[in-house]
């Protein structure tokens, strides 16, 4: 899942119009419940099931897309 696709997931879940590659999910208003939605969307799109700690460690689209690639 590329950076643009992860950014799109963040935009949809957070209901905000703009997310950059370095936008932090939690700084933009994300919480544990919304994180679950992000992780579910990633799993549906890629088949990669990440843990909540993965999003904590990689809270930006850029970092999360790398984490997804490593896990695939």
């Amino acid at each position: 899942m590329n950076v643009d696709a992860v950014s799109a997931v963040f935009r949809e879940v957070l209901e905000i119009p703009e997310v950059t590659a370095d936008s932090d999910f939690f700084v933009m208003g994300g919480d544990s419940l919304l994180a679950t939605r992000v992780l579910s969307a990633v799993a549906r799109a890629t088949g990669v099931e990440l843990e909540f700690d993965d999003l904590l460690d990689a809270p930006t689209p850029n970092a999360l897309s790398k984490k997804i690639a490593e896990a695939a």
Side-chain angles (χ1 to χ4, degrees):
M1 183 172 232
N2 67 30
V3 173
D4 292 334
V6 175
S7 294
V9 170
F10 280 21
R11 280 193 306 273
E12 180 181 329
V13 169
L14 294 170
E15 298 179 355
I16 58 174
E18 187 175 334
V19 173
T20 67
D22 295 318
S23 296
D24 187 298
F25 178 76
F26 297 102
V27 170
M28 293 184 300
D31 58 25
S32 60
L33 293 176
L34 294 174
T36 302
R37 291 182 53 199
V38 168
L39 297 174
S40 293
V42 167
R44 280 192 308 274
T46 66
V48 174
E49 294 193 19
L50 299 175
E51 301 291 328
F52 180 71
D53 287 344
D54 293 319
L55 186 54
L56 285 175
D57 292 339
T60 66
N62 189 38
L64 191 59
S65 67
K66 290 177 184 175
K67 179 99 42 190
I68 294 165
E70 292 169 3

